[in-house]
Amino acid sequence: MNTDLLLHPVFASLVIIAIAYSLKIIVAKLARHRAEKKEKDIRYISHNIKHFINLVMVLLLLFVWSTEIQNFALSIAAFAVAIVLATREFIQCVIGFFYLVTTRPFRVGDWVQVGEYYGEIAETDWIKTTMHEIDMHTYQFSRKTIFIPNNKLITSPIKNLNFVKRFTTHHFNIVRKESFNPYPIYSTLTHKAKEYCEEFEDVAGRYNSIIERKLDAKISGPEPEIHFSTTELGEFKASFTLFCPTEKALEIEHKLTEYFMQLWYSEAAKQQSSNSSI
């Protein structure tokens, strides 16, 4: 038990400090005595010896307390790791906020796509980004609010759809099962599509040029495009591509669909009549 007491770090530390303090007192007295005897100021030597004693004392104390310091450091490290694991998502969200601030992939009011979600940016803060969801088939707000953690914005692709907010490249298809030659209605249908887009033709042309310059790429438009083809089942398919104001996209789609059906049934009746007469 006495041996354990002598080896205890507290007792060993007190002994080391006492010895160091005694040595410094002895050095101070010897230096003063030598200075008086030789009438020479040698305090700098005394100070250097005291600093050396302090250094040895600190090293000895670190050696005595090394085990306790190591255990304490491991405890601190384990605690730090636990804190990091517990707040990992929060830390990633804060990092994601700085990512948004530095890269600025969008601003409040922009239309964006994050993963599978479409919406208008309403607000960003340290933790999350708030979007008002948009149905890209109708270009209308769905009245739903999406909260996306900022850490998802680092790992998910972000598409800025802000140019779609005013003008959009609208695609839609019409599929029919009837089998006859549809190309006699092609020119009439194309002319009608251009007629529906005529009122905003100049604005669409300028907007299309602006987007091409920003993207440094050629995009479809502003002329409407119509392609006839077939589906995998062999059914007729008419594909329409319109570059038009976003708020008019569905209106023009409905008008073209109505006009197409009129032409389709008219041409079908005409060809059936012609085949019957033959």
Side-chain angles (χ1 to χ4, degrees), residues 249-265:
L250 292 181
E251 178 185 347
I252 298 174
E253 177 183 341
H254 293 158
K255 288 181 178 179
L256 280 175
T257 301
E258 180 183 4
Y259 190 72
F260 172 84
M261 299 304 291
Q262 293 176 0
L263 293 176
W264 180 265
Y265 285 114

Side-chain angles (χ1 to χ4, degrees), residues 59-215:
L59 293 176
L60 290 174
L61 289 175
L62 290 175
F63 176 76
V64 169
W65 289 93
S66 59
T67 303
E68 283 70 15
I69 292 174
Q70 184 178 6
N71 293 334
F72 179 74
L74 291 176
S75 300
I76 292 295
F79 179 76
V81 170
I83 291 295
V84 170
L85 291 177
T87 61
R88 180 179 58 183
E89 297 292 334
F90 177 79
I91 295 172
Q92 289 176 348
C93 288
V94 174
I95 294 174
F97 175 77
F98 284 107
Y99 166 76
L100 295 178
V101 171
T102 54
T103 59
R104 296 186 64 83
F106 53 74
R107 295 180 296 179
V108 173
D110 286 357
W111 285 17
V112 300
Q113 177 187 357
V114 180
E116 59 181 4
Y117 301 107
Y118 297 85
E120 182 181 272
I121 300 299
E123 183 184 3
T124 57
D125 56 35
W126 290 87
I127 306 301
K128 67 184 183 304
T129 296
T130 306
M131 295 196 317
H132 296 316
E133 188 180 41
I134 297 173
D135 184 352
M136 293 305 293
H137 297 290
T138 62
Y139 309 105
Q140 301 294 323
F141 289 100
S142 66
R143 300 181 182 179
K144 298 178 182 178
T145 302
I146 303 173
F147 299 98
I148 301 178
N150 289 337
N151 62 329
K152 300 297 182 183
L153 301 178
I154 301 177
T155 57
S156 300
I158 301 174
K159 296 182 181 180
N160 194 310
L161 308 175
N162 203 40
F163 75 92
V164 180
K165 193 173 182 179
R166 186 177 178 188
F167 270 79
T168 183
T169 303
H170 183 61
H171 303 277
F172 68 95
N173 302 315
I174 301 175
V175 177
R176 302 299 302 168
K177 293 183 178 181
E178 293 87 346
S179 177
F180 66 89
N181 181 17
Y183 281 94
I185 68 174
Y186 181 82
S187 58
T188 306
L189 188 62
T190 302
H191 177 75
K192 197 65 172 179
K194 292 180 179 179
E195 181 181 323
Y196 287 145
C197 299
E198 186 177 6
E199 61 176 302
F200 51 81
E201 182 179 1
D202 294 338
V203 179
R206 291 195 297 269
Y207 203 76
N208 190 76
S209 300
I210 292 172
I211 295 174
E212 287 182 340
R213 285 197 300 270
K214 287 185 177 181
L215 298 179

Side-chain angles (χ1 to χ4, degrees), residues 12 14 34 44 46 62 97 109 228 264:
L14 293 176
R34 191 173 182 84
Y44 71 94
S46 173
L62 290 175
F97 175 77
F228 290 168
W264 180 265

Side-chain angles (χ1 to χ4, degrees), residues 3-21:
T3 304
D4 293 338
L5 180 62
L6 292 175
L7 295 177
H8 195 278
V10 175
F11 181 78
S13 299
L14 293 176
V15 172
I16 292 171
I17 293 172
I19 293 174
Y21 183 72

